[in-house]
Amino acid sequence: MKPMARQPLRLLLAAVAAAAMLSFLLLLAPPPDAFLSAFLSPSSPYAHRPKLLFLLAGQSNMAGRGALARPLPPPYLPHPRLLRLAASRRWVPAAPPLHADIDTHKTCGLGPAMPFAHRLLLLLHSDEVLGLVPCAVGGTRIWMWARGQPLYEAAVARARAAVADGGGDIGAVLWFQGESDTIELDDARSYGAKMERLVADLRADLHLPNLLVIQVGLASGEGNYTDIVREAQKNINIPNVLLVDAMGLPLRDDQLHLSTEAQLQLGNMLAEAYLKFNSSRGSML
């Protein structure tokens, strides 16, 4: 690419990063107006119960851009034992869009986490509570998730807050990211090493050396190097990192974001991967 042709691309990436900073600030600290937060998101009677926790991280396809269909499909309906850690770090009933107060610079829709959770609820004990911890922000590249960067530090802080409020265990990190790393060749080529570093840092900082990470293989990309990022995802060969491949799932008209139908399928695929992993280890949910 010629130097002059690269300049508009760099400006575009800078604009995306600036927009995402709004969400970074919201993630780093809970909103100061606790009364308004409580009014908008009433707390749940299960808020201080131990939970099986799932960290939702990545970019827009994890946050969800699937259309908010009416009526909502059953796997997106609220459930008394399904909670969400709001931006205020309070537990509230989980209802889509899960990232509405996290990924604030775009309109959020339906992602894979609700159908994932509903699939697990079918197999959990009748008194077990699931806690979803949204952290994804659209348009972000993997370097923005490195230790010391706002997104990474916010995700770790939210994970710790989720465990502290009522206790429980982190079942897995659900990771769907990489579309923005297909724009520049250097980003695509370095993706695998950065992802492995991210996993190692999360495990160290959360004191969970065997933390399960389920990454979603890209179904699309913003640039020409999607295949390179996908190959990097497939070649990550460290314990307790699984790949669920979204390639072939239907996309919206923008040919970047998964449709609602695709998000439903992906949620079930993620649940099956989680269940199979635990079954092979002989462990309980």
Side-chain angles (χ1 to χ4, degrees), residues 8 20 30 38 53 67 83-84 98 116 132 146 159 192 204 206 220 225 232 246 256 258 272:
L53 302 164
L83 305 184
R84 175 182 75 90
L98 294 177
F116 166 83
L132 302 177
L206 296 176
S220 60
Y225 304 113
L256 179 63
L258 297 186
E272 289 301 319

Side-chain angles (χ1 to χ4, degrees), residues 30-194:
D33 194 339
F35 175 80
L36 178 60
S37 177
F39 176 76
L40 294 175
S41 301
S43 62
S44 163
Y46 293 97
H48 303 296
R49 290 268 299 274
K51 306 166 193 70
L52 180 59
L53 302 164
F54 293 94
L55 200 66
L56 315 177
Q59 55 182 114
S60 56
N61 269 317
M62 175 56 75
R65 298 293 189 260
L68 281 170
R70 292 288 186 266
L72 284 171
Y76 285 103
L77 294 176
H79 187 285
R81 292 184 288 114
L82 179 54
L83 305 184
R84 175 182 75 90
L85 191 71
S88 61
R89 298 182 190 171
R90 296 173 58 255
W91 287 110
V92 300
L98 294 177
H99 283 77
D101 57 351
I102 300 294
D103 187 15
T104 58
H105 65 288
K106 289 283 187 178
T107 300
C108 294
L110 301 181
M114 287 292 286
F116 166 83
H118 271 274
R119 178 75 178 88
L120 296 191
L121 283 170
L122 294 175
L123 300 173
L124 290 171
H125 298 297
S126 60
D127 61 346
E128 187 130 26
V129 181
L130 286 184
L132 302 177
V133 185
C135 298
V137 175
T140 54
R141 291 183 284 168
I142 197 167
W143 68 263
M144 298 178 180
W145 290 89
R147 178 189 270 166
Q149 294 293 329
L151 273 180
Y152 176 89
E153 299 301 329
V156 169
R158 284 175 59 75
R160 289 171 176 164
V163 173
D165 192 354
D169 299 309
I170 299 177
V173 176
L174 305 185
W175 174 262
F176 194 168
Q177 189 276 336
E179 293 92 342
S180 293
D181 290 280
T182 68
I183 299 172
E184 299 252 14
L185 182 57
D186 288 345
D187 289 339
R189 285 176 171 168
S190 64
Y191 189 89
K194 289 176 181 174

